[in-house]
Amino acid sequence: MKNIKYVTLEEKIKEVQETEKQIKDKPTTERKLLDLCGHLYSLRKKPYKQVKILSDYDTDGIVSAYNMYKFFSGICNVPVKTEINDRRNGYGISDKIVPEKDTLYVVLDMGSNQLDYIDEVLGNDTIIIDHHIIEDEKIKEEFKNEPRLLNLKADLDGSGELPDYCTAGLTKKIIDTYMSRLSVKIDEKDLNAITAMAAIGTCTDCVNLLDIYSTNRFLVRNGIDVINNADENNFNYVLGNFFATCGINTNGKITTAKELAWNIGSMINGASRMSKTFDMNGGQFMFDTLTGKVTPETYVNILKAKEINEKRKEITQTIKKSDELKETVASVKANNDNIVIYILPEDTPETVAGLIASDIVDKTLRPCICVVYDKDADCYKGSGRNMDGFPSLYENVKKALGHTEGFGGHDGAIGISSMSFTDLSKMSKNLSEIYKNITIDSKPVEVFNFNPKGLRGLTDKVLSLEPIGSGNELPLIEVPINGNEKITDLSKKNNNPHWKILDTEYGKMKEWNYEEGMYSSPTSVLAKLEYSNYSGRCELTSDKTLDDYNRLTALQKPVPAKIKAKNEQLGNP
């Protein structure tokens, strides 16, 4: 199979260990962090009457706000206030904001491309900490040179090798640098909470956890260690209760990176996603809950956050299981479409569009843009998600539209705050043409090569790999399936009760009977390998067939002759 590279677990462990040795912040990153911390220290002499944090409404924005709120509360002698953007009003600093006098503004997870407006309205002393792509070269230069501005996408050393931190990760780096260089101490419970929140933001924002120019892997591991060893003496009590409500760190279970994103990160984001449904600023509600005092009201709000997230999951699962979505997936595969434009039913909250887009990408192995019509605003809103190996989704949408109005994002994802029907039609038509002759990176899909009969005792090895990649996922496992087998038969045949396969394509755990028409002849399922807190062991999760991945082969760029010869020498296709 041209698009499959078989590796052993031992080979993958060695590869990750070698990558770990290369992980280090660039000198320009370290200098920029020092410059910002020096600038923050100098502000102690300024006559500010308050610090006001303005942050984005997603998980990265909320946990970044949490971290900087704790940080400034620990080092400042003035009140620290926080405002989380209302998702209903769109991304970025509002054009209706009213500045307050004698206030130091700190803008998080947004604002890079609004620098001129922010300086004019909030003041040119405003601190901006962000990680989104910077469009304007003049703004890039300002981020390179001004100590108050931090966005490593400004390409500080001009190499084009951009550290892949999210804003939550940057807040932790700032706090660590400030503490170490200025001998400042922060309360242990707050510091442990900051460490945990940085890990959650890093996992949820799907940055590369093996990026050698950022310490994401270590940020996540440190956060997991803190959570696994948390107790009432060393950890914030409200946050600990929230984590337990998310199913984390209960009954001695080991926490994983994927659970940080899917259990905690999704619940933090859930309230914001459901802002319109529940008629409230869900992001602000979530921040206020996480920073709340130890009172009955706070615990009621934690349970309310869970209720809101359950409603969000119910809506999402209904769409994932719908005949319309299944038909779309089948059509994409049948027609070999290279990008998917999916329009949700009108009554769908636009804030679940990203989740549905991710699901479609997972099912089709193609980029997807998912939108819904907003009757009140008379426009389309939504999100797009890219597929690994495909060129920048943001750049292609910009090329298709000829402008950047009403949407933003980066290589891996876009957010659409306002798009007319005319622009939606134009985008769909032009993207279809752009993606007809598109080529993708020729990196093959890695598949573990070992016998399922020998899966016992692998938990420690699997956990030594975790966390890796940008989706907290390990390489796949090829599981041979005959046309009339059930998964339960497979388990019995392999005499391995510690392993099972879960059918996640439509969100159910069940026996998957291959006689139902999905696989009418012998084939192989590519299953995900991951550690499960719920069983206390590793599990297989059914995912794709080899044919699904081989559909990507036709799109791949030609492999250079020298690399091809080397692969053949090593026994790789």
Side-chain angles (χ1 to χ4, degrees):
M1 298 295 184
K2 292 183 180 180
N3 204 42
I4 301 294
K5 177 184 176 182
Y6 291 98
V7 296
T8 65
L9 189 55
E10 288 71 22
E11 287 171 339
K12 192 63 185 177
I13 290 172
K14 183 177 180 181
E15 177 192 323
V16 171
Q17 289 173 340
E18 290 300 314
T19 303
E20 268 193 359
K21 295 176 184 177
Q22 302 176 59
I23 293 175
K24 186 179 180 181
D25 279 319
K26 295 175 126 186
T28 46
T29 299
E30 293 177 338
R31 283 200 299 272
K32 190 64 177 171
L33 288 168
L34 282 171
D35 288 346
L36 177 57
C37 288
H39 178 72
L40 290 174
Y41 188 76
S42 71
L43 294 178
R44 298 178 311 145
K45 300 176 182 178
K46 301 284 185 179
Y48 293 115
K49 293 183 179 179
Q50 67 172 349
V51 173
K52 194 160 193 177
I53 297 168
L54 307 175
S55 195
D56 189 32
Y57 44 62
D58 68 357
T59 301
D60 189 25
I62 294 169
V63 300
S64 298
Y66 181 98
N67 284 356
M68 296 310 284
Y69 171 79
K70 291 291 184 181
F71 172 63
F72 278 109
S73 295
I75 67 169
C76 292
N77 294 319
V78 296
V80 180
K81 298 179 181 179
T82 302
E83 284 187 12
I84 306 296
N85 267 14
D86 190 331
R87 193 185 281 261
R88 294 170 294 180
N89 298 330
Y91 177 78
I93 299 296
S94 169
D95 58 4
K96 297 180 176 63
I97 192 168
V98 178
E100 299 177 43
K101 291 182 179 180
D102 303 322
T103 298
L104 173 65
Y105 284 96
V106 180
V107 177
L108 302 175
D109 200 32
M110 59 181 180
S112 292
N113 293 302
Q114 294 180 286
L115 179 60
D116 291 342
Y117 172 71
I118 289 172
D119 284 355
E120 178 185 348
V121 176
L122 302 180
N124 59 9
D125 57 346
T126 300
I127 295 165
I128 300 177
I129 304 166
D130 189 19
H131 74 113
H132 292 93
I133 291 172
I134 301 174
E135 295 289 344
D136 188 281
E137 291 300 321
K138 173 179 169 290
I139 291 178
K140 276 187 183 179
E141 288 302 311
E142 292 185 69
F143 269 88
K144 286 181 182 180
N145 298 321
E146 291 199 38
R148 69 185 175 98
L149 305 176
L150 178 62
N151 185 337
L152 301 182
K153 296 297 192 301
D155 195 10
L156 302 181
D157 59 6
S159 67
E161 298 163 339
L162 307 179
D164 199 18
Y165 285 112
C166 66
T167 305
L170 289 174
T171 62
K172 181 64 167 62
K173 301 294 292 189
I174 294 165
I175 294 166
D176 285 347
T177 302
Y178 195 94
M179 290 175 61
S180 64
R181 293 307 179 106
L182 299 171
S183 300
V184 173
K185 291 186 177 181
I186 295 178
D187 176 76
E188 181 188 14
K189 291 184 178 181
D190 285 341
L191 184 58
N192 284 340
I194 288 167
T195 302
M197 291 297 248
I200 292 162
T202 299
C203 289
T204 308
D205 226 45
C206 288
V207 294
N208 187 354
L209 300 180
L210 283 176
D211 173 40
I212 63 172
Y213 302 115
S214 59
T215 59
N216 288 329
R217 182 168 170 82
F218 305 130
L219 287 174
V220 173
R221 281 194 160 179
N222 291 341
I224 288 173
D225 286 344
V226 163
I227 293 170
N228 284 337
N229 294 289
D231 60 36
E232 60 183 10
N233 297 313
N234 64 20
F235 200 74
N236 179 280
Y237 197 80
V238 170
L239 212 56
N241 186 281
F242 179 74
F243 289 177
T245 303
C246 297
I248 300 296
N249 198 19
T250 57
N251 300 323
K253 294 173 182 175
I254 298 172
T255 307
T256 66
K258 189 169 185 178
E259 288 182 321
L260 294 187
W262 289 95
N263 290 37
I264 305 176
S266 64
M267 192 180 295
I268 292 174
N269 209 10
S272 173
R273 288 185 184 277
M274 300 297 284
S275 292
K276 187 173 182 180
T277 303
F278 285 84
D279 192 26
M280 67 175 187
N281 182 347
Q284 189 69 52
F285 164 79
M286 201 69 254
F287 175 85
D288 293 342
T289 298
L290 296 175
T291 56
K293 296 180 179 180
V294 182
T295 63
E297 180 184 4
T298 297
Y299 300 124
V300 168
N301 285 340
I302 289 174
L303 294 177
K304 183 178 179 181
K306 182 179 181 180
E307 176 189 338
I308 291 170
N309 195 47
E310 291 299 321
K311 181 64 176 177
R312 189 269 309 165
K313 289 194 287 187
E314 178 187 325
I315 294 171
T316 305
Q317 287 301 322
T318 299
I319 297 169
K320 287 182 179 181
K321 296 175 187 177
S322 68
D323 290 338
E324 291 82 1
L325 192 143
K326 292 178 185 179
E327 289 167 4
T328 296
V329 170
S331 173
V332 169
K333 291 183 178 182
N335 299 324
N336 276 322
D337 297 329
N338 291 333
I339 188 165
V340 186
I341 310 294
Y342 189 75
I343 300 179
L344 292 163
E346 281 191 18
D347 57 348
T348 306
E350 74 269 8
T351 49
V352 305
L355 300 171
I356 303 303
S358 295
D359 184 65
I360 293 174
V361 171
D362 192 47
K363 289 181 170 72
T364 63
L365 304 179
R366 293 295 188 271
C368 175
I369 297 172
C370 188
V371 297
V372 61
Y373 179 67
D374 185 328
K375 288 183 288 188
D376 295 334
D378 189 26
C379 66
Y380 287 87
K381 299 180 179 181
S383 297
R385 297 292 182 269
N386 208 355
M387 170 67 193
D388 288 345
F390 279 72
S392 171
L393 183 61
Y394 174 81
E395 292 297 332
N396 278 331
V397 172
K398 182 169 74 170
K399 182 179 178 181
L401 286 171
H403 63 76
T404 58
E405 295 175 14
F407 83 97
H410 46 80
D411 292 348
I414 62 166
I416 299 171
S417 58
S418 178
M419 184 175 289
S420 67
F421 176 76
T422 301
D423 267 357
L424 178 63
S425 301
K426 179 182 178 182
M427 179 186 72
S428 300
K429 179 182 177 181
N430 290 344
L431 283 179
S432 180
E433 290 300 316
I434 290 169
Y435 278 82
K436 267 184 183 177
N437 301 311
I438 210 158
T439 57
I440 64 173
D441 291 341
S442 56
K443 183 179 178 181
V445 175
E446 288 187 328
V447 177
F448 279 141
N449 182 22
F450 57 80
N451 191 322
K453 292 180 182 179
L455 296 179
R456 289 181 182 272
L458 291 180
T459 297
D460 290 341
K461 289 183 178 180
V462 172
L463 288 176
S464 73
L465 279 174
E466 218 246 345
I468 63 174
S470 58
N472 313 314
E473 294 177 351
L474 296 168
L476 304 165
I477 294 177
E478 182 182 0
V479 182
I481 301 292
N482 294 322
N484 58 358
E485 276 188 314
K486 291 183 178 181
I487 295 305
T488 47
D489 297 332
L490 199 77
S491 298
K492 292 174 184 175
K493 185 172 69 177
N494 290 336
N495 193 27
N496 195 347
H498 283 257
W499 286 82
K500 62 182 176 180
I501 297 179
L502 309 182
D503 171 16
T504 59
E505 184 161 4
Y506 298 113
K508 285 186 176 181
M509 184 186 299
K510 64 178 182 180
E511 296 177 6
W512 197 348
N513 189 335
Y514 290 85
E515 293 178 307
E516 295 179 355
M518 185 170 289
Y519 306 114
S520 57
S521 60
T523 184
S524 291
V525 170
L526 292 183
K528 295 178 183 177
L529 176 66
E530 62 185 53
Y531 180 81
S532 170
N533 260 352
Y534 298 101
S535 64
R537 53 182 175 263
C538 295
E539 293 180 349
L540 287 173
T541 307
S542 64
D543 190 60
K544 311 282 187 308
T545 66
L546 290 177
D547 289 341
D548 287 325
Y549 280 97
N550 284 327
R551 288 175 59 248
L552 292 173
T553 302
L555 301 177
Q556 289 182 344
K557 299 173 184 175
V559 180
K562 288 184 179 179
I563 296 176
K564 187 175 181 180
K566 183 66 174 176
N567 281 342
E568 290 172 352
Q569 180 184 344
L570 295 172
N572 293 327

